[in-house]
Amino acid sequence: MSQRAELYVWLVLPYVSLSVFIVGHWWRYRRDQFGWTSRSTQLLESRLLAWGSTLFHYGALAVIGGHVVGILVPASVTGRFGISETTYHHLSGYAGGAAGIVCLAGFGILAFRRTKVRRIRATTSISDVIVFVLLGLLILLGDGQTLGYNVFGSGYDYRQTVGPWFRTLFYDPQPSLMSSAPIAYQVHAALPWLLYAVWPFSRLVHAWSYPLQYLGRPYILYRRRHPIPRRAGAQS
Amino acid sequence: MRVRAQVAMVMNLDKCIGCHTCSVTCKQVWTNRPGTEYVWFNNVETKPGLGYPRTYEDNEKWKGGWTLNRRGKLELRAGGRIEKILKIFWNPNLPTIDDYYEPWTYDYQTLIDAPLSERDPVARPFSQLTGDRIEVKTGPNWDDNLAGAPEHAIDDPLLRGIEEQVRFAYEQAFMFYLPRICEHCLNPSCVASCPSGAMYKRVEDGIVLVDQHKCRGWRFCVSGCPYKKVYFNHRSGKAEKCTLCYPRIEQGQPTICSETCVGRIRYLGLVLYDADRVEEAASVPDEHDLLDAQMGVFLDPDDPEVQAAARADGIPDDWLEAARRSPVYTLAVRYRLALPLHPEYRTLPMVWYVPPLSPVVNALETDGYEADPDDLFPAIETLRIPVDYLANLLAAGDAEVIRTVLRRLAAMRAYMRKREVLDETDETLPASVGLTAHDLEAMYRLLAIAKYEERYVIPKAHGELASELMEQQGACGLDFDGGPGNCGAVQPRANERFMLKKTLPILGQSDA
């Protein structure tokens, strides 16, 4: 990869994508409260969804947790907590691999359901297709890396390249860090930026609405018709 | 005491002829849109029958409503908050579209475009979900008038335990109609089940609504409602429900289902209640006590103390006056003729029903027993509609409650018959059911004459207290693109939808 291309992929793409991600969410939240929904299709098909959705979502949550530990937390910090490189390597390989397989199994069921069940297919928008393709590629690549390199292969220490590259994006960008990473890791590190750019314009926004506030709320809610301050996102 | 007003409804099942006009006008006004084809805010069920969605009353299966836990505390039957957010990726209690029906329409264009041929062209049904041709196997009211009852009606959850009394042989069959809308409960389990906090009960009039801007489509309200009166719009991905036609109610007009009811069976009026006692009432241990517990939450609008407390809580004087004239309060509390639908769900529903009288079964007369038309008391036990069935519907199985109401209705008929036909006044009749002659005449006027102004006593909403009413809530009901409640503010199209595939193709004439 030429230096210019490196700059575009490992610096410009992330910055553009993050900008779209942030501004896009702000715009969507202000303009489209009505479209902000999980867009559940359980009413139309429930049996496949039971397995597909549950496996996919719990798998994905575990995978996301793994990425936070693997990418956001520097190796030096885990080391200070007494986790050796070998221990980390095993943990990320087996726990990450298991989570990845659960996630992939769920995704597979969901993809089958979306393409083969007529009722679901009919509700599919172009944004759904884009999200499905991106997520599918990411999960396949991720599982491939974890299993291929870190479980059955000789191992690749992405905490020396991918991790620092991602973290330094936010204070001292070093795009060249990625140049030594294997191509599979490069693709897996570049694709998410496309997903982040699509995120605010897709059904993925429902992820931010996971209703934790429900845990601390009284059951019955009342509202008054008396004039109340207008909420952001309310119709003007 | 925290006094609140609730717009409530009573339906007199004695007069419902099952014409479905309420359902049709409601659908025309609220749910004739893509995504809500299968949604009937108002529907009319034939009882006994499976209901809509099928067997919805079986809450051991669907887990709607509330129940008491082992410590006697009220909890959602489908599980609490933690359970819900863990099951959010798949809701185990949600009905699927097949529990309702697959919505369909016909390719009417064929009738116009078909070339000249020997036989008449036929408009064939196709699914509104997939666009495919389908064979229509079930519909919104498939068991109307006991259609298929010998095979299916025995699955009616209300028949459990009384199967012996019920026969579907033609000579012994019974039926009546049950029109249903949202109950606008005092203790709404849909509101409690909504993780997003999008559902709420209005303080001023008790109407339960979904904020379309806050709903995130987590669908627990649908399964949480034991009456299955919250629906999932499969196109918008949001929950929708009966609004009690609040834009009309705010103007002092009856709901569209009431306005167009040809049998004049519906009554709308205010009931004052004590919001502080709702939970306590919903938590009484014995299901048979729920009726009295709910009655205990209602406040007497003629009581000066209640009036003073209501004024202190901001209820305007014209609302208090309307509460005193409320036909709902009169039927439910003063004469105790109306009963709540399935009180055992513990939601304290606010659409109540006057149970229907029915003919005395023939068996008695063939036994040589000449039924005295005025001697109706022994006959209550021999009515065609088993008292136990009505008890399962309206009294958590307490048949004595039903008997009391039916006796009062029978007494009213007998009293009026004697007065009109024989020109006699039977003073013993009213006393025998614990009422006065004046009461029976007032009941007769309200139930049989049923004047418009007496059926609907709805005070207008107070503009000075809420200058923009609907809009001030942050959401104007169903005011989105293509929605019926567009209050002058056109919603920009949903962002994902501009990428949504075009409306399902209507089948071309070539493959007709």
Side-chain angles (χ1 to χ4, degrees):
Chain A
M1 210 185 272
S2 75
Q3 216 170 354
R4 179 176 283 258
E6 228 164 48
L7 203 65
Y8 274 114
V9 177
W10 307 121
L11 188 71
V12 176
L13 175 66
Y15 281 1
V16 169
S17 162
L18 273 182
S19 308
V20 173
F21 183 80
I22 292 165
V23 176
H25 273 105
W26 173 78
W27 173 82
R28 177 97 188 258
Y29 194 80
R30 300 248 334 158
R31 289 296 300 257
D32 186 30
Q33 280 294 314
F34 178 62
W36 194 293
T37 155
S38 61
R39 207 161 285 286
S40 165
T41 51
Q42 191 182 340
L43 178 78
L44 303 176
E45 197 288 326
S46 187
R47 232 173 281 166
L48 286 168
L49 190 78
W51 287 100
S53 176
T54 309
L55 290 175
F56 169 74
H57 281 96
Y58 279 110
L61 286 173
V63 165
I64 290 166
H67 278 71
V68 168
V69 175
I71 302 296
L72 288 184
V73 181
S76 57
V77 174
T78 48
R80 213 171 299 155
F81 281 100
I83 301 167
S84 73
E85 179 53 34
T86 339
T87 319
Y88 173 82
H89 184 81
H90 285 304
L91 200 68
S92 86
Y94 294 113
I101 287 171
V102 169
C103 185
L104 180 65
F107 184 84
I109 296 171
L110 292 180
F112 170 82
R113 175 176 179 270
R114 195 153 279 279
T115 47
K116 292 292 174 199
V117 178
R118 294 274 301 147
R119 288 174 181 175
I120 307 302
R121 196 180 172 127
T123 69
T124 305
S125 69
I126 293 166
S127 79
D128 291 340
V129 174
I130 296 171
V131 167
F132 252 83
V133 169
L134 285 172
L135 272 177
L137 285 174
L138 280 169
I139 296 170
L140 280 173
L141 272 168
D143 280 10
Q145 287 156 32
T146 303
L147 300 179
Y149 280 91
N150 293 331
V151 177
F152 299 114
S154 52
Y156 173 70
D157 189 1
Y158 50 83
R159 294 208 293 175
Q160 302 305 325
T161 55
V162 184
W165 157 75
F166 184 85
R167 291 195 299 275
T168 52
L169 269 181
F170 299 96
Y171 56 91
D172 176 23
Q174 297 175 34
S176 57
L177 275 172
M178 283 302 289
S179 52
S180 68
I183 184 74
Y185 278 86
Q186 290 197 351
V187 177
H188 188 96
L191 272 185
W193 301 108
L194 298 181
L195 188 68
Y196 299 150
V198 176
W199 196 297
F201 313 105
S202 74
R203 62 163 60 192
L204 292 180
V205 291
H206 77 275
W208 313 122
S209 299
Y210 190 74
L212 287 173
Q213 79 284 353
Y214 182 53
L215 296 176
R217 180 201 100 185
Y219 267 140
I220 309 295
L221 299 179
Y222 296 93
R223 284 204 211 171
R224 250 176 210 291
R225 285 193 310 231
H226 289 277
I228 47 167
R230 213 174 273 274
R231 272 187 296 113
Q235 194 59 54
S236 56
Chain B
M1 183 169 16
R2 225 170 357 138
V3 185
R4 284 193 181 152
Q6 164 94 34
V7 179
M9 188 184 281
V10 165
M11 296 192 220
N12 182 4
L13 298 184
D14 214 20
K15 291 167 77 178
C16 181
I17 58 169
C19 67
H20 300 273
T21 308
C22 46
S23 306
V24 171
T25 51
C26 173
K27 190 139 190 68
Q28 290 293 338
V29 169
W30 290 105
T31 57
N32 57 353
R33 295 164 282 137
T36 60
E37 306 91 347
Y38 80 102
V39 174
W40 295 84
F41 290 167
N42 182 110
N43 72 309
V44 183
E45 290 160 10
T46 300
K47 289 286 166 192
L50 298 177
Y52 186 73
R54 282 190 295 284
T55 71
Y56 73 94
E57 285 156 301
D58 182 359
N59 278 301
E60 286 179 18
K61 178 182 175 197
W62 298 110
K63 311 267 187 236
W66 303 87
T67 186
L68 296 181
N69 66 16
R70 259 175 293 161
R71 283 169 291 125
K73 202 172 165 350
L74 198 64
E75 65 178 20
L76 288 170
R77 196 161 189 158
R81 298 178 175 90
I82 293 174
E83 212 173 324
K84 282 222 167 52
I85 69 166
L86 289 178
K87 288 178 176 169
I88 203 160
F89 305 125
W90 182 70
N91 176 348
N93 305 312
L94 190 77
T96 67
I97 192 80
D98 295 312
D99 293 308
Y100 302 88
Y101 65 99
E102 179 159 8
W104 77 90
T105 183
Y106 298 90
D107 52 349
Y108 294 109
Q109 197 62 34
T110 308
L111 302 181
I112 292 165
D113 296 342
L116 190 64
S117 64
E118 289 253 317
R119 291 178 202 86
D120 289 341
V122 175
R124 287 161 68 184
F126 66 91
S127 163
Q128 288 175 304
L129 297 179
T130 62
D132 295 340
R133 283 237 157 76
I134 54 166
E135 285 290 319
V136 176
K137 296 224 171 64
T138 185
N141 203 35
W142 214 242
D143 58 356
D144 201 16
N145 294 340
L146 295 184
E151 282 170 56
H152 304 298
I154 200 68
D155 295 328
D156 179 342
L158 301 186
L159 292 174
R160 271 184 212 152
I162 56 169
E163 294 94 338
E164 286 307 302
Q165 297 179 37
V166 177
R167 293 283 175 278
F168 290 104
Y170 182 75
E171 297 79 9
Q172 292 154 304
F174 72 91
M175 68 171 196
F176 61 99
Y177 301 104
L178 180 72
R180 295 202 302 125
I181 64 169
C182 165
E183 296 284 340
H184 298 278
C185 305
L186 296 185
N187 186 34
S189 54
C190 57
V191 173
S193 302
C194 172
S196 306
M199 295 192 74
Y200 59 98
K201 190 169 178 66
R202 299 214 298 195
V203 172
E204 289 85 351
D205 52 20
I207 298 176
V208 176
L209 295 172
V210 185
D211 182 339
Q212 292 289 312
H213 286 171
K214 267 192 106 179
C215 173
R216 299 290 178 242
W218 298 128
R219 72 224 173 294
F220 282 113
C221 55
V222 178
S223 52
C225 171
Y227 303 96
K228 293 293 171 282
K229 274 295 172 189
V230 189
Y231 295 86
F232 193 82
N233 179 327
H234 60 82
R235 208 171 155 87
S236 70
K238 302 235 163 177
E240 293 187 22
K241 64 177 288 300
C242 160
T243 63
L244 205 67
C245 290
Y246 71 88
R248 289 177 61 92
I249 293 284
E250 284 176 2
Q251 298 301 318
Q253 296 171 2
T255 63
I256 205 73
C257 53
S258 307
E259 176 79 82
T260 58
C261 175
V262 298
R264 305 197 294 187
I265 74 160
R266 301 201 187 209
Y267 299 80
L268 278 160
L270 292 184
V271 174
L272 300 180
Y273 70 98
D274 182 355
D276 286 335
R277 296 218 301 265
V278 167
E279 188 178 348
E280 179 196 332
S283 308
V284 295
D286 185 351
E287 287 180 348
H288 290 183
D289 294 335
L290 278 162
L291 174 63
D292 283 336
Q294 185 167 1
M295 292 277 205
V297 175
F298 297 162
L299 298 169
D300 181 357
D302 291 316
D303 180 345
E305 247 177 71
V306 169
Q307 290 171 354
R311 280 193 198 94
D313 284 327
I315 296 178
D317 281 346
D318 57 333
W319 279 56
L320 286 180
E321 176 55 29
R324 293 177 59 199
R325 293 198 296 123
S326 167
V328 172
Y329 186 80
T330 301
L331 290 172
V333 184
R334 290 200 181 98
Y335 300 138
R336 297 190 74 121
L337 294 174
L339 300 167
L341 183 65
H342 289 299
E344 71 274 19
Y345 299 161
R346 298 180 181 273
T347 59
L348 306 191
M350 290 304 285
V351 175
W352 287 31
Y353 294 88
V354 177
L357 285 169
S358 50
V360 172
V361 281
N362 272 341
L364 272 181
E365 286 167 22
T366 50
D367 286 349
Y369 171 80
E370 273 294 305
D372 174 355
D374 298 328
D375 189 13
L376 273 160
F377 290 180
I380 295 292
E381 287 303 328
T382 60
L383 294 182
R384 209 163 234 268
I385 304 173
V387 168
D388 286 331
Y389 187 87
L390 292 171
N392 282 351
L393 187 73
L394 299 169
D398 188 350
E400 200 43 45
V401 170
I402 303 290
R403 279 188 207 106
T404 309
V405 174
L406 294 183
R407 279 189 202 116
R408 287 191 165 181
L409 290 174
M412 175 189 77
R413 285 194 184 187
Y415 177 84
M416 290 309 296
R417 179 181 165 279
K418 276 193 177 162
R419 206 187 73 174
E420 299 297 317
V421 179
L422 307 174
D423 206 16
E424 289 171 10
T425 309
D426 185 343
E427 296 294 348
T428 60
L429 261 173
S432 68
V433 291
L435 294 169
T436 65
H438 176 264
D439 288 337
L440 289 188
E441 282 170 36
M443 273 167 55
Y444 167 77
R445 184 174 167 82
L446 193 54
L447 292 171
I449 308 293
K451 288 290 195 192
Y452 189 94
E453 302 75 25
E454 290 172 24
R455 273 181 288 143
Y456 309 130
V457 181
I458 308 161
K460 282 190 184 180
H462 276 257
E464 75 279 9
L465 296 179
S467 51
E468 293 176 80
L469 293 180
M470 297 179 288
E471 207 188 324
Q472 287 294 347
Q473 300 168 73
C476 175
L478 310 177
D479 67 337
F480 39 82
D481 186 22
N486 199 321
C487 319
V490 179
Q491 176 79 7
R493 305 193 71 176
N495 175 51
E496 284 168 47
R497 283 216 291 178
F498 77 85
M499 294 190 275
L500 192 70
K501 280 186 184 170
K502 291 242 163 63
T503 324
L504 292 167
I506 293 184
L507 296 179
Q509 62 205 44
S510 55
D511 54 357

